[in-house]
């Protein structure tokens, strides 16, 4: 049956290039493998040439798939399930790429895209290592191609195809209105597309600029870990055990810089888009991305040990294998659905668990088997390292990084453990503290080692030499720590004095790291920028630790609601930490007077921006923040809020919306009820009571306004609220030119309207009282102060710059030595 309005050509081209990609990557793998195995140079060169053609065909195919899928999304071709599920007509162009990799298929394609780019660079630069390294890369491309194939082999479906049509996806199985004869067992109506007006849209929390740049950088980091893995595997495969380390080191440094930045971009997204009041929550998906980076850092440092002393080559092989292995394991964790209940970031299960597990095992098991088989062949120095040597303490630091990674991945893998063994072990009640209580001591050890180790020489260091070099930065660090201790505070007391003392020790050690490594640039390498990459990276690392410790431990809630208006809040929110702001009513919040000025709506979706004006009480500063919220969006009841923050050099003011007045109550349907009162009488309403103070009459009034015999009655009323607040209003009734006129008085914060309607001969009044939700338009705000959080972000940048400087230097050294890298 032909269906009206469908555009089938893009999908058909997409299917073709997926199959071409699958075949080309398999051919490239086979040809590179034969080139590696061939012992005849001419034969090896012919296989390599054929492999290059196949890999370039794979690159063209992936770029074509990428382009076609983006074309489908950009042109709102909702007959395709991927475009319908992840985009909409109201989605801004800047978020088109974000919806591209929101789904599993798009993220696998992004991963494959980076492998293509890295593969082309390796073909150009890796020379004699090209064949074995590209065998690994091409096979990874084949594995990724199977993830988006969507091909049935007998009754087993291999992968999920991003070009599947909406009518074939099962979405309409329970929609009889779209089927012939209103019967779901009948085919779809030929004009079913006329009922598909819009797509499902991008997840509101992903509609943030960080989600446009964070995933590509993170996936480049993930993808690049295959390169040091491939070099390590090539060294084992070809039994060339030391030479591979020269080209592998720059790639390891590149991967560490990019993956680290990608992870922290995710932290920035969480800080700016999520509302848990921070940037890291030890979420399983966050942990799964951090662990490969920790192991990779271990491998880089053991590789440096090997280059300078001959030690730790075995450990380097293992760490590079495990770094990539943990990338694959994190892929299994986040995409298998096993973390669905324990992580807000994980993908749902698409029925690909067998493939995901195979992807992990087919790379890691052979690599580990080859490693242990060749273990005794890997050269090592029998003499143990001297405890006064740099390599000894570098290895200890690498081991601490690795053990930290094992602890983190062990805790993160609890759902896997429960699944395999049928247990029901519950995660700790306070997951954040369960991690922090261990990692704070890891931070102390690493900070100390990072401060001291560079002042040691390789192989052996004289005691006099060491103390002469380390004394000045140590004294300076002690002075700075003393000043911090005297004039600063750490407010994190809720876990007791021992943990507080540990935080202080970590802070002091972080300062030591910064001072010692900054000093080493001049004391150790005479200010040479070219040689200072490691020291710069270590300074940045110390800043990251210090920024984390200070901003997290001194995080302060400033939206304290003391005697204010309570409001309905979501689960987990403390009413004492959420300040209700009534429109156009000033409220005190710390050193600020803040005012809710109003809101504006997105023209195409249920997204509102709330204007909140801040004015310091000393009058020196004013600014406006605009946090926003999706309200009852796409069937999600309630709010999905995005924060807004004011950035200073030494702190951030971070705000988000936790409650709003009911949008459905803005139509005023309440009616006045009438009560007769005499001066001194009281009248109760739902939130308190009011007292009529007295009744006044004025007769000397302008004739041109009130006419002859006009009068004005005034009734001062005092209102006592349940919250303890007291309000005074004066209701007025005018008799002007024979007409009676009364204007209502509104007490916004009480949702109360009063109107003086009549004055009786006995000096009593008839008062109209109305309680209406439409009177009070409000929002509830939560605000934090994050001190010195910019130290964290700046430290990330400094760390990455230092690693890149080291990478460039290693590339230059390799070229000078003609290493073939």
């Amino acid at each position: 049956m032909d269906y009206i309005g469908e555009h089938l050509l893009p999908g058909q081209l997409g299917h073709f290039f997926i199959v071409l990609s699958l075949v080309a990557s398999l051919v490239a793998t086979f040809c590179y493998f034969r080139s590696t195995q061939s012992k005849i140079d001419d034969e090896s060169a012919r296989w390599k040439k054929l492999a290059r053609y196949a890999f370039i065909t794979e690159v063209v195919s992936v770029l074509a798939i990428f382009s076609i899928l983006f074309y489908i999304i950009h042109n709102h071709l909702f007959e395709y399930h991927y475009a319908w599920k992840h985009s909409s007509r109201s989605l801004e162009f800047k978020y088109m790429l974000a919806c591209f990799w929101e789904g599993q298929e798009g993220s696998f394609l992004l991963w494959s895209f980076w492998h293509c780019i890295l593969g082309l660079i390796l073909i150009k630069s890796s020379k004699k290592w090209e064949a074995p390294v590209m065998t690994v890369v091409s096979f990874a491309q084949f594995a990724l191609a199977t993830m988006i194939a969507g091909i049935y082999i007998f009754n087993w479906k291999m992968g999920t195809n991003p070009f599947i049509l909406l009518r074939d996806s099962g979405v309409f199985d329970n929609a009889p209105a779209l089927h012939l004869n209103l019967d779901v067992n009948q085919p779809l109506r030929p004009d079913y597309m006329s009922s598909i007006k819009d797509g499902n849209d991008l997840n509101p929390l992903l509609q943030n600029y960080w989600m446009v740049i964070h995933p590509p950088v993170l996936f480049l980091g993930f993808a690049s870990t295959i390169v040091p893995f491939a070099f390590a595997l090539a060294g084992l495969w070809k039994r060339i055990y030391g030479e591979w380390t020269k080209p592998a080191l720059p790639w390891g440094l590149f991967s560490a810089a990019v993956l680290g930045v990608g992870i922290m971009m995710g932290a920035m997204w969480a800080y700016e888009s999520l509302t848990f009041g921070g940037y890291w929550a030890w979420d399983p998906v966050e942990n799964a991305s951090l662990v490969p980076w920790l192991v990779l850092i271990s491998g880089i440092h053991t590789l440096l040990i090997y280059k300078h002393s001959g030690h730790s080559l075995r450990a380097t092989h293992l760490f590079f294998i495990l770094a990539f292995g943990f990338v694959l394991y994190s892929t299994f964790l986040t995409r298998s659905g096993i973390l669905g209940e324990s992580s807000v970031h994980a993908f749902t299960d698409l029925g690909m668990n067998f493939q995901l597990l195979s992807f992990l095992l087919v790379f890691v098991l052979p690599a580990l088997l080859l490693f242990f088989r060749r273990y005794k062949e890997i050269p090592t120095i029998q003499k143990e390292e001297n405890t006064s040597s740099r390599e000894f303490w570098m290895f200890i630091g690498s081991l601490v990084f690795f053990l930290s990674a094992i602890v983190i991945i062990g805790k993160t893998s609890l759902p896997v453990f429960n699944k395999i063994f049928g247990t029901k072990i519950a995660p700790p009640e306070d997951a954040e503290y369960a991690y922090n209580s261990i990692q704070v001591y890891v931070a102390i050890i690493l900070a100390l080692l990072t401060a001291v180790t560079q002042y040691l020489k390789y192989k052996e260091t004289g005691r006099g030499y060491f103390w002469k070099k380390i004394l000045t930065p140590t004294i300076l660090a002690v002075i700075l720590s003393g000043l911090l201790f005297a004039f600063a505070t750490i407010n994190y007391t809720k876990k007791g004095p021992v943990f507080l003392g540990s935080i202080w020790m970590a802070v002091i050690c972080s300062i030591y790291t910064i001072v010692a490594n900054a000093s080493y640039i001049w004391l150790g390498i005479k200010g040479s920028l070219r040689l200072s990459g490691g020291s710069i990276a270590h300074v940045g690392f110390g800043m990251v630790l210090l920024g984390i410790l200070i901003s997290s431990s001194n995080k302060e809630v400033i939206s304290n609601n003391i005697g204010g208006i309570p409001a309905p809040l979501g689960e987990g929110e403390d009413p004492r930490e959420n300040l209700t702001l009534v429109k156009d009513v000033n409220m005190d919040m710390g050193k600020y007077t803040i005012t809710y000025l109003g809101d504006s709506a997105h023209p195409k979706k249920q997204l509102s921006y709330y204007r909140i004006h801040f004015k310091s009480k000393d009058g020196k500063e004013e600014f406006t923040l605009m946090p926003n919220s999706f309200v009852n969006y796409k069937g999600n009841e309630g709010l999905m809020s995005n924060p807004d923050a004011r950035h200073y050099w030494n702190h951030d003011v971070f705000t988000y919306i936790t409650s709003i007045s009911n949008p459905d109550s803005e139509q005023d349907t309440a009616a006045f009820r009438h009560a007769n009162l005499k001066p001194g009488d009281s009248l109760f309403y739902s939130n308190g009571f009011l007292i009529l103070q007295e009744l006044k009459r004025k007769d000397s009034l302008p004739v041109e306004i009130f006419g002859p015999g006009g009068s004005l009655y005034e009734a001062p009323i005092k209102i006592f609220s349940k919250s303890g607040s007291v309000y005074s209003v004066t209701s007025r009734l005018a008799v002007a030119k024979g007409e009676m006129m009364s204007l209502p008085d509104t007490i916004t914060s009480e949702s109360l309207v009063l109107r003086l309607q009549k004055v009786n001969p006995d000096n009593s009044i008839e008062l109209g009282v109305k309680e209406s939700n439409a009177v009070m338009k409000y929002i509830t705000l939560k605000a934090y102060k994050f001190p010195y959080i910019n130290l964290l972000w700046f430290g990330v940048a400094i760390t990455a710059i230092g690693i890149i400087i080291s990478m460039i230097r290693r590339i230059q050294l390799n070229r000078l030595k003609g290493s073939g890298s």
Side-chain angles (χ1 to χ4, degrees):
M1 179 183 293
D2 293 329
Y3 294 94
I4 300 168
E6 286 188 338
H7 302 79
L8 299 181
L9 181 59
Q12 292 166 347
L13 289 173
H15 283 290
F16 168 77
F17 282 111
I18 284 176
V19 174
L20 183 59
S21 168
L22 188 70
V23 173
S25 57
L26 184 60
V27 171
T29 303
F30 177 77
C31 294
Y32 271 126
F33 177 81
R34 290 300 304 269
S35 177
T36 304
Q37 291 293 92
S38 177
K39 300 186 182 304
I40 302 172
D41 291 344
D42 288 344
E43 183 183 0
S44 176
R46 287 194 297 271
W47 280 115
K48 186 186 297 183
K49 185 176 182 180
L50 184 59
R52 287 176 175 175
Y53 286 137
F55 189 81
I56 291 171
T57 303
E58 154 75 0
V59 171
V60 172
S61 300
V62 170
L63 292 176
I65 298 166
F66 203 100
S67 302
I68 293 167
L69 188 56
F70 185 76
Y71 171 84
I72 288 172
I73 293 170
H74 181 259
N75 288 279
H76 310 303
L77 303 185
F78 296 132
E79 56 267 41
Y80 292 95
H81 179 257
Y82 201 86
W84 173 83
K85 185 177 181 181
H86 301 291
S87 70
S88 69
R89 296 186 186 278
S90 61
L91 190 67
E92 294 92 333
F93 177 78
K94 59 185 176 181
Y95 298 136
M96 288 288 178
L97 284 175
C99 74
F100 183 95
W101 41 69
E102 182 192 23
Q104 292 219 39
E105 301 92 332
S107 58
F108 277 126
L109 194 54
L110 179 61
W111 191 349
S112 183
F113 169 81
W114 285 126
H115 273 176
C116 290
I117 303 301
L118 295 173
L120 292 175
I121 296 172
L122 286 166
I123 289 172
K124 179 72 174 177
S125 63
S126 55
K127 298 182 180 177
K128 71 177 184 179
W129 292 102
E130 178 188 345
V133 168
M134 286 301 298
T135 301
V136 178
V137 174
S138 298
F139 188 55
Q141 283 293 81
F142 172 74
L144 290 172
T146 66
M147 299 295 177
I148 61 170
I151 298 172
Y152 280 91
I153 300 176
F154 299 107
N155 291 324
W156 174 64
K157 184 183 178 183
M158 182 173 68
T160 58
N161 194 309
F163 300 107
I164 187 172
L165 291 167
L166 187 59
R167 56 181 162 89
D168 295 329
S169 67
V171 170
F172 299 142
D173 287 352
N174 295 313
L178 297 181
H179 291 257
L180 293 173
N181 302 321
L182 302 180
D183 182 357
V184 294
N185 296 314
Q186 295 291 320
L188 284 171
R189 299 196 325 257
D191 63 341
Y192 82 95
M193 279 298 300
S194 63
S195 301
I196 311 300
K197 303 297 184 184
D198 203 356
N200 198 47
D201 204 10
L202 177 67
N203 185 322
L205 295 179
L206 303 184
Q207 295 183 34
N208 179 281
Y209 64 94
W210 281 112
M211 290 310 294
V212 179
I213 56 177
H214 155 59
V217 176
L218 183 66
F219 272 88
L220 175 57
F222 284 154
S224 63
T225 59
I226 198 174
V227 183
F229 167 83
F231 274 108
L233 199 60
L236 294 171
W237 183 2
K238 300 296 290 181
R239 287 187 163 94
I240 306 175
Y241 293 112
E243 197 173 329
W244 69 269
T245 61
K246 294 178 182 179
L249 180 54
W251 280 107
L253 291 166
F254 172 80
S255 185
V258 175
L259 182 56
V261 170
I263 292 169
M264 293 313 296
M265 280 183 171
M268 282 290 288
W269 165 73
Y271 180 64
E272 293 196 5
S273 291
L274 304 183
T275 56
F276 64 85
Y279 43 83
W280 194 269
W282 293 111
D283 180 272
V285 173
E286 295 172 343
N287 298 347
S289 65
L290 176 64
V291 166
W293 184 83
L294 294 173
V295 178
L296 184 63
I297 293 297
S298 297
I300 290 170
H301 283 84
T302 54
L303 196 156
L304 290 170
I305 291 171
Y306 169 74
K307 290 184 70 65
H308 289 93
S309 69
H311 289 284
S312 300
L313 182 58
R314 290 172 175 173
T316 304
H317 276 94
L318 181 62
F319 288 149
F320 280 162
I321 289 171
L322 290 180
F324 182 64
F326 279 124
V327 167
L328 300 182
Y329 180 62
S330 71
T331 302
F332 170 76
L333 280 180
T334 57
R335 296 170 186 271
S336 63
I338 202 166
L339 295 179
E341 296 181 359
S342 57
S343 173
V344 298
H345 304 293
F347 290 94
T348 55
D349 182 9
L350 290 183
M352 295 171 55
N353 290 6
F354 172 75
Q355 272 185 268
L356 293 168
L357 189 59
S358 299
F359 190 15
L360 168 64
L361 297 179
V362 79
F363 278 90
V364 175
L365 285 184
L368 288 176
L369 287 173
L370 188 60
F371 168 72
F372 288 115
R373 185 176 180 182
R374 301 273 201 267
Y375 183 81
K376 292 183 178 180
E377 298 179 18
I378 300 172
T380 185
I381 296 175
Q382 296 301 319
K383 181 184 176 182
E384 293 187 359
E385 301 98 320
N386 194 308
T387 55
S388 67
S389 67
R390 181 184 292 190
E391 61 267 26
F392 177 83
W393 294 105
M394 282 179 67
F395 183 79
I396 295 297
S398 299
L399 198 57
V400 171
F401 265 111
F402 178 67
L403 293 176
S404 173
I406 295 301
V407 170
I408 293 170
I409 203 66
K411 288 178 176 291
T412 304
S413 300
L414 186 58
V416 179
F417 184 88
N418 286 338
K419 186 92 170 179
I420 293 173
F421 297 101
T423 56
K424 296 182 180 180
I425 302 174
E429 186 175 345
D430 189 345
E432 182 179 335
Y433 179 67
Y435 285 99
N436 289 341
S437 60
I438 297 174
Q439 298 306 321
V440 68
Y441 298 106
V442 171
I444 292 170
I445 296 169
L446 290 176
L448 278 175
L449 291 175
T450 307
V452 171
T453 302
Q454 284 201 103
Y455 287 88
L456 298 171
K457 293 181 178 180
Y458 285 104
K459 298 185 179 178
E460 188 175 3
T461 309
R463 182 174 300 179
Y465 171 87
F466 171 73
W467 284 110
K468 179 181 177 181
K469 293 289 187 180
I470 199 68
L471 186 61
T472 299
T474 302
I475 292 172
L476 186 57
V478 168
I479 293 171
L480 290 175
S481 299
L483 291 173
L484 182 69
F485 194 81
F487 297 105
T489 58
I490 298 293
N491 297 324
Y492 196 89
T493 58
K494 60 184 179 181
K495 294 300 180 183
V498 174
F499 190 61
L500 178 62
S502 302
I503 293 174
W504 267 112
M505 181 59 69
V507 167
I508 292 168
C509 293
S510 300
I511 292 172
Y512 193 19
T513 294
I514 295 169
V515 172
N517 281 278
S519 300
Y520 187 80
I521 296 174
W522 281 270
L523 297 176
I525 51 181
K526 310 303 180 185
S528 172
L529 182 64
R530 185 174 60 87
L531 301 175
S532 63
S535 296
I536 292 173
H538 292 158
V539 168
F541 179 67
M543 293 171 67
V544 168
L545 291 180
L546 189 60
I548 290 172
L549 291 163
I550 292 179
S551 66
S552 298
S553 59
N554 280 348
K555 182 176 73 173
E556 176 187 359
V557 177
I558 59 175
S559 53
N560 296 304
N561 189 6
I562 302 173
I565 306 167
L569 298 170
E571 183 180 353
E573 290 291 355
D574 187 343
R576 295 169 297 179
E577 297 180 349
N578 291 266
L579 188 61
T580 298
L581 306 177
V582 177
K583 187 174 181 293
D584 297 324
V585 176
N586 293 340
M587 294 289 288
D588 287 340
M589 189 180 78
K591 72 173 188 176
Y592 299 104
T593 297
I594 64 173
T595 311
Y596 166 38
L597 300 178
D599 55 71
S600 56
H602 191 283
K604 296 182 179 180
K605 58 184 67 175
Q606 295 155 285
L607 174 64
S608 294
Y609 298 85
Y610 302 93
R611 298 190 306 280
I612 305 167
H613 184 70
F614 286 69
K615 184 176 182 179
S616 61
K617 292 178 180 177
D618 59 12
K620 293 182 179 179
E621 182 186 17
E622 290 186 64
F623 58 90
T624 299
L625 294 181
M626 293 187 67
N628 66 74
S629 291
F630 286 86
V631 184
N632 300 331
Y633 190 64
K634 295 287 185 180
N636 296 302
E637 291 297 323
L639 295 183
M640 301 180 73
S641 295
N642 289 308
D644 196 10
R646 175 76 169 182
H647 304 289
Y648 299 86
W649 73 270
N650 62 346
H651 71 277
D652 279 4
V653 175
F654 173 96
T655 64
Y656 64 93
I657 305 299
T658 54
S659 176
I660 62 171
S661 51
N662 188 349
D664 297 330
S665 68
E666 294 184 6
Q667 295 294 326
D668 189 359
T669 58
F672 281 98
R673 62 186 177 93
H674 307 292
N676 288 315
L677 299 174
K678 290 182 178 181
D681 286 351
S682 60
L683 176 68
F684 284 88
Y685 67 101
S686 61
N687 286 321
F689 66 94
L690 56 87
I691 298 175
L692 175 62
Q693 301 291 300
E694 58 180 321
L695 180 65
K696 301 177 184 178
R697 174 174 173 165
K698 294 181 180 180
D699 294 315
S700 300
L701 301 168
V703 176
E704 60 273 14
I705 297 176
F706 287 84
S711 59
L712 176 66
Y713 294 93
E714 294 183 343
I717 300 170
K718 187 161 284 189
I719 299 143
F720 298 86
S721 172
K722 285 180 181 179
S723 66
S725 301
V726 179
Y727 307 91
S728 295
V729 297
T730 299
S731 289
R732 295 176 173 84
L733 174 65
V735 180
K737 299 178 181 180
E739 299 287 338
M740 296 185 69
M741 295 180 293
S742 177
L743 296 176
D745 296 288
T746 302
I747 301 90
T748 305
S749 59
E750 295 296 294
S751 300
L752 188 65
V753 182
L754 303 178
R755 185 166 67 189
L756 178 55
Q757 295 180 301
K758 184 180 178 182
V759 177
N760 300 313
D762 62 354
N763 213 31
S764 66
I765 66 169
E766 184 178 297
L767 184 68
V769 180
K770 180 170 70 171
E771 295 183 70
S772 172
N773 290 330
V775 169
M776 187 172 71
K777 190 170 186 179
Y778 71 87
I779 59 171
T780 305
L781 183 77
K782 190 163 188 178
Y784 291 97
K785 178 181 177 182
F786 279 98
Y788 297 100
I789 192 171
N790 290 323
L791 191 62
L792 166 61
W793 311 129
F794 190 54
V796 171
I798 295 297
T799 303
I801 290 170
I803 295 174
I804 294 299
I805 291 173
S806 296
M807 181 193 76
I808 293 171
R809 177 171 175 262
R810 292 296 172 179
I811 292 172
Q812 292 172 341
L813 286 175
N814 287 345
R815 287 175 178 172
L816 288 173
K817 293 177 182 179
S819 63
S821 62

